[in-house]
Amino acid sequence: MREIGLEHLDDIARGAAILGTGGGGDPHIGKLLAQSALREHGPVRTCTLDELPADATVLPVAMMGAPTVMVEKLPSIEQVSIAAEALAGYLGRELTHIACAEAGGVNSLIPVVAAAQLGLPLVDADGMGRAFPEIQMVLPTLYGVRATPMSVADEKGNRVILDTVDNHWAERLARSATIDMGCSAMISSYAMTGAQASASLVPGTISLCAELGALVRQAREEHTDPVDAVVARLGGRRLFTGKVVDVERRTVTGFARGTARLSGLDGDTGELVLRFQNEHLVAEHDGEVRAVVPDLICTLDRETGEAVTTESLRFGQRVSVISAPCDPRWHTPEGLELAGPRYFGYDLEPQVGAAR
Amino acid sequence: MREIGLEHLDDIARGAAILGTGGGGDPHIGKLLAQSALREHGPVRTCTLDELPADATVLPVAMMGAPTVMVEKLPSIEQVSIAAEALAGYLGRELTHIACAEAGGVNSLIPVVAAAQLGLPLVDADGMGRAFPEIQMVLPTLYGVRATPMSVADEKGNRVILDTVDNHWAERLARSATIDMGCSAMISSYAMTGAQASASLVPGTISLCAELGALVRQAREEHTDPVDAVVARLGGRRLFTGKVVDVERRTVTGFARGTARLSGLDGDTGELVLRFQNEHLVAEHDGEVRAVVPDLICTLDRETGEAVTTESLRFGQRVSVISAPCDPRWHTPEGLELAGPRYFGYDLEPQVGAAR
């Protein structure tokens, strides 16, 4: 896609919810903000990683916090550009492009808002190829790109600039600031050159969101199975279809953590357990691990194919759980150290290629 | 005093511990850092509030955190100027003077370190006339001076710049960052003009520290009572002399909080209870309130007159508890709202003039 207009937002939001793997924040909020920004400023130009000049100044923007809170404490539209402008001022450099840190959930559309407000092109790419809960969990970390200087801004007007010794410290200090700000804030981090962006980002993921969203919509219109369409496009597989029979959810240390239990339907038997920290991390079928982070685990409505986020999972929902392969760089030793199962506290082997 | 040399540091540290009212951090640490800085850079020039040019750029520097931690996790000497330089860079202004936010404890000497390292004069004044535990508790807040932009720096190399909607938000966000950094950090805040400094700071408090320290030293040399000398200079009174029989102390929410109980000696009977949050807040004699914040409550060794900090209070110590009046601006309605007993959770009347 060459530009993002109002007509694309529904599909992008629908597809982003899928790549959100249960987290990433409700993309409906991002859609509302993007609608407002595009109505005021017109469509946003996009550019591919191939087209990006090596000396470009690329700034990813995102929303940080607990999705459970984001749906109740809506961000202001000004807040999005305030975070970017605060950081540009600190860097003393003129921004040339806006990028997406996390293609999943609300954060696929927050960069659209920033690009519209600042009149800059948006890079069609992201730092994860999915959603992850912590700041250091982006591929640029593997390429030595620093998360800081980064900015954190709230809707009240408070701004924080961080300059840290590593990307884990950026996560730690930004998380505390976000919690103080009410568990949701706008951030700008990983300012990078065009060359760094081209090397480290996952290409085409904004387009992929739009494509996934369109596939789900078209399957419904054509009365085919939208879940099948998503599985086929992502090269994944359907793990389980079932009814949600229990959800245990806590907002702790700034995250939405919990467990969901599904009882089999449509020929699936037994129980599937999903464990999440903002995003789904592990899927276990009757005690056997079927999929695990960094691969994607997504919960989709059995009928409509719409992604169901961890904060909206509730008793009685009928969902299909699918898995899909992540960007292969997440399966390198460095990638797994950053976002593999052991980082999240699960003593499990990552399942290389299991989802393919 | 026109300049501060190595020969002044003992007296300043001794006097600062008294104005620290039990808190403010152990001035011994500040003395070690200042000795090192003065040995390298020579004496620090001082200037009075009257001499300060109205258009000066004055930057107070301080250490923030729990005194219980500061004595175990020593700051680096570089850390002091890093905080000041990070903020000067953000402000885009050249600093002309260093100031003292808090005359009590370690923070009377941290500005000496910064002034020596940066080659700038030190203003002989401070923002409290004593020690207080929170950032917004300085007289400049009453004059509308903003705490932010402020910087927070740790010994690892992490730096945070805050820009907040009010000074309470500066406290909140800086406290979280300080806790993440290990409960002790170096800060620069309340950058102000010379005119703002002249209006809002308490004049002559660095000299007062030196004078109090000298009085205690001389009384010991002359075999007179050092506690009497301090009481007379501060226009205060001796509340109680007793033996420490119990200390309960916790490091919570980034502060050293607790209670100490003293059993009477030297003709004093009954029990005196001291309640503190870094600094002494309330002194109760057999259930009757004898002194309360914002007035000064200080614990001095009965024999030597040396101040005993809340983190070094321990069973068996023989101390005299004195009270002394604070800067009268703390007894205005705005001052009491900021640092009166009710702010600290004590439903007590402030004792205007009680200590005089």
Side-chain angles (χ1 to χ4, degrees), chain B residues 59-63 80-81 83-84 95 98-102 107-108 110-115 118 122 186-189:
Chain B
L59 186 65
V61 296
M63 207 168 154
V80 182
S81 49
L95 305 178
I98 294 295
C100 173
E102 171 180 67
N107 281 331
S108 57
I110 293 294
V112 174
V113 178
L118 300 172
L122 174 70
M186 211 58 73
I187 64 171
S188 271
S189 61

mmCIF file with all atom_site columns, all heavy atoms in Angstrom, chain B residues 59-63 80-81 83-84 95 98-102 107-108 110-115 118 122 186-189:
data_model
loop_
_atom_site.group_PDB
_atom_site.id
_atom_site.type_symbol
_atom_site.label_atom_id
_atom_site.label_alt_id
_atom_site.label_comp_id
_atom_site.label_asym_id
_atom_site.label_entity_id
_atom_site.label_seq_id
_atom_site.pdbx_PDB_ins_code
_atom_site.Cartn_x
_atom_site.Cartn_y
_atom_site.Cartn_z
_atom_site.occupancy
_atom_site.B_iso_or_equiv
_atom_site.pdbx_formal_charge
_atom_site.auth_seq_id
_atom_site.auth_comp_id
_atom_site.auth_asym_id
_atom_site.auth_atom_id
_atom_site.pdbx_PDB_model_num
ATOM 1   N N   . LEU B 1 59  ? 21.450 26.417 39.551 1.00 0.00 ? 59  LEU B N   1
ATOM 2   C CA  . LEU B 1 59  ? 20.968 25.044 39.520 1.00 0.00 ? 59  LEU B CA  1
ATOM 3   C C   . LEU B 1 59  ? 21.253 24.337 40.848 1.00 0.00 ? 59  LEU B C   1
ATOM 4   O O   . LEU B 1 59  ? 22.408 24.097 41.195 1.00 0.00 ? 59  LEU B O   1
ATOM 5   C CB  . LEU B 1 59  ? 21.631 24.263 38.374 1.00 0.00 ? 59  LEU B CB  1
ATOM 6   C CG  . LEU B 1 59  ? 21.067 22.854 38.171 1.00 0.00 ? 59  LEU B CG  1
ATOM 7   C CD1 . LEU B 1 59  ? 19.607 22.914 37.742 1.00 0.00 ? 59  LEU B CD1 1
ATOM 8   C CD2 . LEU B 1 59  ? 21.870 22.090 37.135 1.00 0.00 ? 59  LEU B CD2 1
ATOM 9   N N   . PRO B 1 60  ? 20.206 23.990 41.596 1.00 0.00 ? 60  PRO B N   1
ATOM 10  C CA  . PRO B 1 60  ? 20.397 23.178 42.803 1.00 0.00 ? 60  PRO B CA  1
ATOM 11  C C   . PRO B 1 60  ? 20.650 21.710 42.427 1.00 0.00 ? 60  PRO B C   1
ATOM 12  O O   . PRO B 1 60  ? 20.037 21.180 41.506 1.00 0.00 ? 60  PRO B O   1
ATOM 13  C CB  . PRO B 1 60  ? 19.064 23.314 43.544 1.00 0.00 ? 60  PRO B CB  1
ATOM 14  C CG  . PRO B 1 60  ? 18.389 24.508 42.936 1.00 0.00 ? 60  PRO B CG  1
ATOM 15  C CD  . PRO B 1 60  ? 18.841 24.517 41.505 1.00 0.00 ? 60  PRO B CD  1
ATOM 16  N N   . VAL B 1 61  ? 21.572 21.100 43.160 1.00 0.00 ? 61  VAL B N   1
ATOM 17  C CA  . VAL B 1 61  ? 21.851 19.667 42.967 1.00 0.00 ? 61  VAL B CA  1
ATOM 18  C C   . VAL B 1 61  ? 21.691 18.969 44.313 1.00 0.00 ? 61  VAL B C   1
ATOM 19  O O   . VAL B 1 61  ? 21.871 19.570 45.366 1.00 0.00 ? 61  VAL B O   1
ATOM 20  C CB  . VAL B 1 61  ? 23.264 19.413 42.409 1.00 0.00 ? 61  VAL B CB  1
ATOM 21  C CG1 . VAL B 1 61  ? 23.429 20.007 41.030 1.00 0.00 ? 61  VAL B CG1 1
ATOM 22  C CG2 . VAL B 1 61  ? 24.320 19.954 43.354 1.00 0.00 ? 61  VAL B CG2 1
ATOM 23  N N   . ALA B 1 62  ? 21.337 17.705 44.273 1.00 0.00 ? 62  ALA B N   1
ATOM 24  C CA  . ALA B 1 62  ? 21.089 16.980 45.522 1.00 0.00 ? 62  ALA B CA  1
ATOM 25  C C   . ALA B 1 62  ? 21.155 15.486 45.282 1.00 0.00 ? 62  ALA B C   1
ATOM 26  O O   . ALA B 1 62  ? 21.138 15.017 44.145 1.00 0.00 ? 62  ALA B O   1
ATOM 27  C CB  . ALA B 1 62  ? 19.709 17.350 46.083 1.00 0.00 ? 62  ALA B CB  1
ATOM 28  N N   . MET B 1 63  ? 21.182 14.761 46.373 1.00 0.00 ? 63  MET B N   1
ATOM 29  C CA  . MET B 1 63  ? 21.081 13.319 46.325 1.00 0.00 ? 63  MET B CA  1
ATOM 30  C C   . MET B 1 63  ? 19.665 12.973 46.778 1.00 0.00 ? 63  MET B C   1
ATOM 31  O O   . MET B 1 63  ? 19.126 13.607 47.685 1.00 0.00 ? 63  MET B O   1
ATOM 32  C CB  . MET B 1 63  ? 22.103 12.732 47.294 1.00 0.00 ? 63  MET B CB  1
ATOM 33  C CG  . MET B 1 63  ? 22.565 11.358 46.930 1.00 0.00 ? 63  MET B CG  1
ATOM 34  S SD  . MET B 1 63  ? 24.003 10.938 47.950 1.00 0.00 ? 63  MET B SD  1
ATOM 35  C CE  . MET B 1 63  ? 23.820 9.170  47.930 1.00 0.00 ? 63  MET B CE  1
ATOM 36  N N   . VAL B 1 80  ? 27.697 13.242 40.312 1.00 0.00 ? 80  VAL B N   1
ATOM 37  C CA  . VAL B 1 80  ? 27.202 14.542 40.778 1.00 0.00 ? 80  VAL B CA  1
ATOM 38  C C   . VAL B 1 80  ? 27.127 15.528 39.623 1.00 0.00 ? 80  VAL B C   1
ATOM 39  O O   . VAL B 1 80  ? 26.096 16.172 39.399 1.00 0.00 ? 80  VAL B O   1
ATOM 40  C CB  . VAL B 1 80  ? 28.099 15.085 41.906 1.00 0.00 ? 80  VAL B CB  1
ATOM 41  C CG1 . VAL B 1 80  ? 27.542 16.402 42.418 1.00 0.00 ? 80  VAL B CG1 1
ATOM 42  C CG2 . VAL B 1 80  ? 28.230 14.066 43.032 1.00 0.00 ? 80  VAL B CG2 1
ATOM 43  N N   . SER B 1 81  ? 28.229 15.627 38.848 1.00 0.00 ? 81  SER B N   1
ATOM 44  C CA  . SER B 1 81  ? 28.196 16.607 37.764 1.00 0.00 ? 81  SER B CA  1
ATOM 45  C C   . SER B 1 81  ? 27.416 16.100 36.560 1.00 0.00 ? 81  SER B C   1
ATOM 46  O O   . SER B 1 81  ? 26.887 16.889 35.787 1.00 0.00 ? 81  SER B O   1
ATOM 47  C CB  . SER B 1 81  ? 29.615 17.023 37.354 1.00 0.00 ? 81  SER B CB  1
ATOM 48  O OG  . SER B 1 81  ? 30.417 15.891 37.162 1.00 0.00 ? 81  SER B OG  1
ATOM 49  N N   . ALA B 1 83  ? 24.505 14.650 36.573 1.00 0.00 ? 83  ALA B N   1
ATOM 50  C CA  . ALA B 1 83  ? 23.110 15.095 36.735 1.00 0.00 ? 83  ALA B CA  1
ATOM 51  C C   . ALA B 1 83  ? 22.977 16.555 36.343 1.00 0.00 ? 83  ALA B C   1
ATOM 52  O O   . ALA B 1 83  ? 22.049 16.940 35.619 1.00 0.00 ? 83  ALA B O   1
ATOM 53  C CB  . ALA B 1 83  ? 22.638 14.868 38.170 1.00 0.00 ? 83  ALA B CB  1
ATOM 54  N N   . ALA B 1 84  ? 23.924 17.391 36.793 1.00 0.00 ? 84  ALA B N   1
ATOM 55  C CA  . ALA B 1 84  ? 23.854 18.828 36.486 1.00 0.00 ? 84  ALA B CA  1
ATOM 56  C C   . ALA B 1 84  ? 24.060 19.072 34.996 1.00 0.00 ? 84  ALA B C   1
ATOM 57  O O   . ALA B 1 84  ? 23.330 19.862 34.377 1.00 0.00 ? 84  ALA B O   1
ATOM 58  C CB  . ALA B 1 84  ? 24.902 19.586 37.299 1.00 0.00 ? 84  ALA B CB  1
ATOM 59  N N   . LEU B 1 95  ? 25.041 27.213 32.847 1.00 0.00 ? 95  LEU B N   1
ATOM 60  C CA  . LEU B 1 95  ? 24.880 27.413 34.286 1.00 0.00 ? 95  LEU B CA  1
ATOM 61  C C   . LEU B 1 95  ? 25.872 28.470 34.764 1.00 0.00 ? 95  LEU B C   1
ATOM 62  O O   . LEU B 1 95  ? 27.017 28.496 34.306 1.00 0.00 ? 95  LEU B O   1
ATOM 63  C CB  . LEU B 1 95  ? 25.157 26.108 35.027 1.00 0.00 ? 95  LEU B CB  1
ATOM 64  C CG  . LEU B 1 95  ? 24.350 24.890 34.586 1.00 0.00 ? 95  LEU B CG  1
ATOM 65  C CD1 . LEU B 1 95  ? 24.777 23.665 35.392 1.00 0.00 ? 95  LEU B CD1 1
ATOM 66  C CD2 . LEU B 1 95  ? 22.865 25.157 34.773 1.00 0.00 ? 95  LEU B CD2 1
ATOM 67  N N   . ILE B 1 98  ? 25.838 27.136 41.229 1.00 0.00 ? 98  ILE B N   1
ATOM 68  C CA  . ILE B 1 98  ? 25.264 25.926 41.810 1.00 0.00 ? 98  ILE B CA  1
ATOM 69  C C   . ILE B 1 98  ? 24.616 26.322 43.138 1.00 0.00 ? 98  ILE B C   1
ATOM 70  O O   . ILE B 1 98  ? 25.112 27.198 43.846 1.00 0.00 ? 98  ILE B O   1
ATOM 71  C CB  . ILE B 1 98  ? 26.362 24.864 42.035 1.00 0.00 ? 98  ILE B CB  1
ATOM 72  C CG1 . ILE B 1 98  ? 26.920 24.398 40.689 1.00 0.00 ? 98  ILE B CG1 1
ATOM 73  C CG2 . ILE B 1 98  ? 25.844 23.682 42.850 1.00 0.00 ? 98  ILE B CG2 1
ATOM 74  C CD1 . ILE B 1 98  ? 25.920 23.668 39.794 1.00 0.00 ? 98  ILE B CD1 1
ATOM 75  N N   . ALA B 1 99  ? 23.496 25.683 43.455 1.00 0.00 ? 99  ALA B N   1
ATOM 76  C CA  . ALA B 1 99  ? 22.841 25.970 44.738 1.00 0.00 ? 99  ALA B CA  1
ATOM 77  C C   . ALA B 1 99  ? 22.542 24.675 45.461 1.00 0.00 ? 99  ALA B C   1
ATOM 78  O O   . ALA B 1 99  ? 22.705 23.577 44.929 1.00 0.00 ? 99  ALA B O   1
ATOM 79  C CB  . ALA B 1 99  ? 21.556 26.772 44.511 1.00 0.00 ? 99  ALA B CB  1
ATOM 80  N N   . CYS B 1 100 ? 22.073 24.835 46.676 1.00 0.00 ? 100 CYS B N   1
ATOM 81  C CA  . CYS B 1 100 ? 21.806 23.730 47.574 1.00 0.00 ? 100 CYS B CA  1
ATOM 82  C C   . CYS B 1 100 ? 20.290 23.648 47.773 1.00 0.00 ? 100 CYS B C   1
ATOM 83  O O   . CYS B 1 100 ? 19.660 24.644 48.120 1.00 0.00 ? 100 CYS B O   1
ATOM 84  C CB  . CYS B 1 100 ? 22.530 24.034 48.893 1.00 0.00 ? 100 CYS B CB  1
ATOM 85  S SG  . CYS B 1 100 ? 22.176 22.878 50.205 1.00 0.00 ? 100 CYS B SG  1
ATOM 86  N N   . ALA B 1 101 ? 19.707 22.501 47.513 1.00 0.00 ? 101 ALA B N   1
ATOM 87  C CA  . ALA B 1 101 ? 18.261 22.355 47.683 1.00 0.00 ? 101 ALA B CA  1
ATOM 88  C C   . ALA B 1 101 ? 17.908 22.163 49.156 1.00 0.00 ? 101 ALA B C   1
ATOM 89  O O   . ALA B 1 101 ? 16.880 22.639 49.631 1.00 0.00 ? 101 ALA B O   1
ATOM 90  C CB  . ALA B 1 101 ? 17.757 21.159 46.873 1.00 0.00 ? 101 ALA B CB  1
ATOM 91  N N   . GLU B 1 102 ? 18.797 21.497 49.884 1.00 0.00 ? 102 GLU B N   1
ATOM 92  C CA  . GLU B 1 102 ? 18.504 21.026 51.239 1.00 0.00 ? 102 GLU B CA  1
ATOM 93  C C   . GLU B 1 102 ? 19.776 21.183 52.063 1.00 0.00 ? 102 GLU B C   1
ATOM 94  O O   . GLU B 1 102 ? 20.779 20.516 51.774 1.00 0.00 ? 102 GLU B O   1
ATOM 95  C CB  . GLU B 1 102 ? 18.088 19.548 51.128 1.00 0.00 ? 102 GLU B CB  1
ATOM 96  C CG  . GLU B 1 102 ? 17.932 18.801 52.409 1.00 0.00 ? 102 GLU B CG  1
ATOM 97  C CD  . GLU B 1 102 ? 17.516 17.335 52.170 1.00 0.00 ? 102 GLU B CD  1
ATOM 98  O OE1 . GLU B 1 102 ? 18.329 16.547 51.620 1.00 0.00 ? 102 GLU B OE1 1
ATOM 99  O OE2 . GLU B 1 102 ? 16.397 16.982 52.542 1.00 0.00 ? 102 GLU B OE2 1
ATOM 100 N N   . ASN B 1 107 ? 23.188 16.540 51.608 1.00 0.00 ? 107 ASN B N   1
ATOM 101 C CA  . ASN B 1 107 ? 22.895 17.505 50.558 1.00 0.00 ? 107 ASN B CA  1
ATOM 102 C C   . ASN B 1 107 ? 23.447 18.900 50.785 1.00 0.00 ? 107 ASN B C   1
ATOM 103 O O   . ASN B 1 107 ? 23.319 19.766 49.927 1.00 0.00 ? 107 ASN B O   1
ATOM 104 C CB  . ASN B 1 107 ? 21.400 17.537 50.277 1.00 0.00 ? 107 ASN B CB  1
ATOM 105 C CG  . ASN B 1 107 ? 21.009 16.358 49.415 1.00 0.00 ? 107 ASN B CG  1
ATOM 106 O OD1 . ASN B 1 107 ? 21.827 15.878 48.622 1.00 0.00 ? 107 ASN B OD1 1
ATOM 107 N ND2 . ASN B 1 107 ? 19.789 15.873 49.561 1.00 0.00 ? 107 ASN B ND2 1
ATOM 108 N N   . SER B 1 108 ? 24.051 19.147 51.935 1.00 0.00 ? 108 SER B N   1
ATOM 109 C CA  . SER B 1 108 ? 24.791 20.406 52.109 1.00 0.00 ? 108 SER B CA  1
ATOM 110 C C   . SER B 1 108 ? 26.139 20.323 51.396 1.00 0.00 ? 108 SER B C   1
ATOM 111 O O   . SER B 1 108 ? 26.705 21.354 51.039 1.00 0.00 ? 108 SER B O   1
ATOM 112 C CB  . SER B 1 108 ? 25.002 20.681 53.589 1.00 0.00 ? 108 SER B CB  1
ATOM 113 O OG  . SER B 1 108 ? 25.690 19.578 54.160 1.00 0.00 ? 108 SER B OG  1
ATOM 114 N N   . ILE B 1 110 ? 26.896 17.893 48.706 1.00 0.00 ? 110 ILE B N   1
ATOM 115 C CA  . ILE B 1 110 ? 26.812 17.484 47.287 1.00 0.00 ? 110 ILE B CA  1
ATOM 116 C C   . ILE B 1 110 ? 26.971 18.716 46.365 1.00 0.00 ? 110 ILE B C   1
ATOM 117 O O   . ILE B 1 110 ? 27.699 18.643 45.360 1.00 0.00 ? 110 ILE B O   1
ATOM 118 C CB  . ILE B 1 110 ? 25.489 16.722 47.017 1.00 0.00 ? 110 ILE B CB  1
ATOM 119 C CG1 . ILE B 1 110 ? 25.485 15.382 47.767 1.00 0.00 ? 110 ILE B CG1 1
ATOM 120 C CG2 . ILE B 1 110 ? 25.245 16.536 45.542 1.00 0.00 ? 110 ILE B CG2 1
ATOM 121 C CD1 . ILE B 1 110 ? 26.512 14.365 47.290 1.00 0.00 ? 110 ILE B CD1 1
ATOM 122 N N   . PRO B 1 111 ? 26.331 19.861 46.693 1.00 0.00 ? 111 PRO B N   1
ATOM 123 C CA  . PRO B 1 111 ? 26.539 21.041 45.830 1.00 0.00 ? 111 PRO B CA  1
ATOM 124 C C   . PRO B 1 111 ? 27.984 21.533 45.827 1.00 0.00 ? 111 PRO B C   1
ATOM 125 O O   . PRO B 1 111 ? 28.437 22.098 44.833 1.00 0.00 ? 111 PRO B O   1
ATOM 126 C CB  . PRO B 1 111 ? 25.609 22.100 46.453 1.00 0.00 ? 111 PRO B CB  1
ATOM 127 C CG  . PRO B 1 111 ? 24.587 21.316 47.212 1.00 0.00 ? 111 PRO B CG  1
ATOM 128 C CD  . PRO B 1 111 ? 25.295 20.107 47.726 1.00 0.00 ? 111 PRO B CD  1
ATOM 129 N N   . VAL B 1 112 ? 28.715 21.327 46.925 1.00 0.00 ? 112 VAL B N   1
ATOM 130 C CA  . VAL B 1 112 ? 30.134 21.702 46.948 1.00 0.00 ? 112 VAL B CA  1
ATOM 131 C C   . VAL B 1 112 ? 30.897 20.852 45.918 1.00 0.00 ? 112 VAL B C   1
ATOM 132 O O   . VAL B 1 112 ? 31.742 21.360 45.179 1.00 0.00 ? 112 VAL B O   1
ATOM 133 C CB  . VAL B 1 112 ? 30.727 21.511 48.365 1.00 0.00 ? 112 VAL B CB  1
ATOM 134 C CG1 . VAL B 1 112 ? 32.240 21.747 48.359 1.00 0.00 ? 112 VAL B CG1 1
ATOM 135 C CG2 . VAL B 1 112 ? 30.035 22.436 49.357 1.00 0.00 ? 112 VAL B CG2 1
ATOM 136 N N   . VAL B 1 113 ? 30.549 19.578 45.858 1.00 0.00 ? 113 VAL B N   1
ATOM 137 C CA  . VAL B 1 113 ? 31.181 18.679 44.881 1.00 0.00 ? 113 VAL B CA  1
ATOM 138 C C   . VAL B 1 113 ? 30.890 19.167 43.460 1.00 0.00 ? 113 VAL B C   1
ATOM 139 O O   . VAL B 1 113 ? 31.797 19.280 42.622 1.00 0.00 ? 113 VAL B O   1
ATOM 140 C CB  . VAL B 1 113 ? 30.668 17.233 45.063 1.00 0.00 ? 113 VAL B CB  1
ATOM 141 C CG1 . VAL B 1 113 ? 31.293 16.313 44.029 1.00 0.00 ? 113 VAL B CG1 1
ATOM 142 C CG2 . VAL B 1 113 ? 30.935 16.734 46.474 1.00 0.00 ? 113 VAL B CG2 1
ATOM 143 N N   . ALA B 1 114 ? 29.618 19.469 43.192 1.00 0.00 ? 114 ALA B N   1
ATOM 144 C CA  . ALA B 1 114 ? 29.226 19.908 41.842 1.00 0.00 ? 114 ALA B CA  1
ATOM 145 C C   . ALA B 1 114 ? 29.914 21.217 41.483 1.00 0.00 ? 114 ALA B C   1
ATOM 146 O O   . ALA B 1 114 ? 30.430 21.373 40.371 1.00 0.00 ? 114 ALA B O   1
ATOM 147 C CB  . ALA B 1 114 ? 27.710 20.053 41.759 1.00 0.00 ? 114 ALA B CB  1
ATOM 148 N N   . ALA B 1 115 ? 29.929 22.174 42.425 1.00 0.00 ? 115 ALA B N   1
ATOM 149 C CA  . ALA B 1 115 ? 30.553 23.483 42.154 1.00 0.00 ? 115 ALA B CA  1
ATOM 150 C C   . ALA B 1 115 ? 32.041 23.304 41.853 1.00 0.00 ? 115 ALA B C   1
ATOM 151 O O   . ALA B 1 115 ? 32.577 23.926 40.928 1.00 0.00 ? 115 ALA B O   1
ATOM 152 C CB  . ALA B 1 115 ? 30.329 24.419 43.341 1.00 0.00 ? 115 ALA B CB  1
ATOM 153 N N   . LEU B 1 118 ? 32.428 21.597 38.366 1.00 0.00 ? 118 LEU B N   1
ATOM 154 C CA  . LEU B 1 118 ? 32.012 22.420 37.229 1.00 0.00 ? 118 LEU B CA  1
ATOM 155 C C   . LEU B 1 118 ? 32.702 23.785 37.229 1.00 0.00 ? 118 LEU B C   1
ATOM 156 O O   . LEU B 1 118 ? 32.495 24.578 36.310 1.00 0.00 ? 118 LEU B O   1
ATOM 157 C CB  . LEU B 1 118 ? 30.482 22.594 37.244 1.00 0.00 ? 118 LEU B CB  1
ATOM 158 C CG  . LEU B 1 118 ? 29.678 21.291 37.153 1.00 0.00 ? 118 LEU B CG  1
ATOM 159 C CD1 . LEU B 1 118 ? 28.182 21.560 37.371 1.00 0.00 ? 118 LEU B CD1 1
ATOM 160 C CD2 . LEU B 1 118 ? 29.880 20.611 35.805 1.00 0.00 ? 118 LEU B CD2 1
ATOM 161 N N   . LEU B 1 122 ? 29.203 28.664 44.397 1.00 0.00 ? 122 LEU B N   1
ATOM 162 C CA  . LEU B 1 122 ? 28.084 28.057 45.136 1.00 0.00 ? 122 LEU B CA  1
ATOM 163 C C   . LEU B 1 122 ? 27.340 29.158 45.873 1.00 0.00 ? 122 LEU B C   1
ATOM 164 O O   . LEU B 1 122 ? 27.950 29.996 46.550 1.00 0.00 ? 122 LEU B O   1
ATOM 165 C CB  . LEU B 1 122 ? 28.641 27.039 46.134 1.00 0.00 ? 122 LEU B CB  1
ATOM 166 C CG  . LEU B 1 122 ? 27.628 26.413 47.090 1.00 0.00 ? 122 LEU B CG  1
ATOM 167 C CD1 . LEU B 1 122 ? 26.683 25.479 46.350 1.00 0.00 ? 122 LEU B CD1 1
ATOM 168 C CD2 . LEU B 1 122 ? 28.346 25.670 48.213 1.00 0.00 ? 122 LEU B CD2 1
ATOM 169 N N   . MET B 1 186 ? 21.313 10.772 42.014 1.00 0.00 ? 186 MET B N   1
ATOM 170 C CA  . MET B 1 186 ? 21.699 12.181 42.062 1.00 0.00 ? 186 MET B CA  1
ATOM 171 C C   . MET B 1 186 ? 20.695 12.960 41.219 1.00 0.00 ? 186 MET B C   1
ATOM 172 O O   . MET B 1 186 ? 20.321 12.506 40.131 1.00 0.00 ? 186 MET B O   1
ATOM 173 C CB  . MET B 1 186 ? 23.108 12.302 41.468 1.00 0.00 ? 186 MET B CB  1
ATOM 174 C CG  . MET B 1 186 ? 23.937 13.401 42.037 1.00 0.00 ? 186 MET B CG  1
ATOM 175 S SD  . MET B 1 186 ? 24.173 13.298 43.825 1.00 0.00 ? 186 MET B SD  1
ATOM 176 C CE  . MET B 1 186 ? 25.332 11.937 43.952 1.00 0.00 ? 186 MET B CE  1
ATOM 177 N N   . ILE B 1 187 ? 20.256 14.104 41.721 1.00 0.00 ? 187 ILE B N   1
ATOM 178 C CA  . ILE B 1 187 ? 19.268 14.883 40.966 1.00 0.00 ? 187 ILE B CA  1
ATOM 179 C C   . ILE B 1 187 ? 19.695 16.338 40.804 1.00 0.00 ? 187 ILE B C   1
ATOM 180 O O   . ILE B 1 187 ? 20.488 16.856 41.590 1.00 0.00 ? 187 ILE B O   1
ATOM 181 C CB  . ILE B 1 187 ? 17.872 14.863 41.646 1.00 0.00 ? 187 ILE B CB  1
ATOM 182 C CG1 . ILE B 1 187 ? 17.922 15.538 43.022 1.00 0.00 ? 187 ILE B CG1 1
ATOM 183 C CG2 . ILE B 1 187 ? 17.335 13.439 41.761 1.00 0.00 ? 187 ILE B CG2 1
ATOM 184 C CD1 . ILE B 1 187 ? 16.538 15.753 43.639 1.00 0.00 ? 187 ILE B CD1 1
ATOM 185 N N   . SER B 1 188 ? 19.164 16.969 39.769 1.00 0.00 ? 188 SER B N   1
ATOM 186 C CA  . SER B 1 188 ? 19.247 18.417 39.579 1.00 0.00 ? 188 SER B CA  1
ATOM 187 C C   . SER B 1 188 ? 17.854 18.883 39.274 1.00 0.00 ? 188 SER B C   1
ATOM 188 O O   . SER B 1 188 ? 17.205 18.339 38.379 1.00 0.00 ? 188 SER B O   1
ATOM 189 C CB  . SER B 1 188 ? 20.141 18.759 38.388 1.00 0.00 ? 188 SER B CB  1
ATOM 190 O OG  . SER B 1 188 ? 21.464 18.885 38.782 1.00 0.00 ? 188 SER B OG  1
ATOM 191 N N   . SER B 1 189 ? 17.379 19.867 40.018 1.00 0.00 ? 189 SER B N   1
ATOM 192 C CA  . SER B 1 189 ? 16.015 20.354 39.783 1.00 0.00 ? 189 SER B CA  1
ATOM 193 C C   . SER B 1 189 ? 15.906 21.798 40.239 1.00 0.00 ? 189 SER B C   1
ATOM 194 O O   . SER B 1 189 ? 16.848 22.341 40.814 1.00 0.00 ? 189 SER B O   1
ATOM 195 C CB  . SER B 1 189 ? 15.008 19.486 40.535 1.00 0.00 ? 189 SER B CB  1
ATOM 196 O OG  . SER B 1 189 ? 15.249 19.550 41.909 1.00 0.00 ? 189 SER B OG  1
#
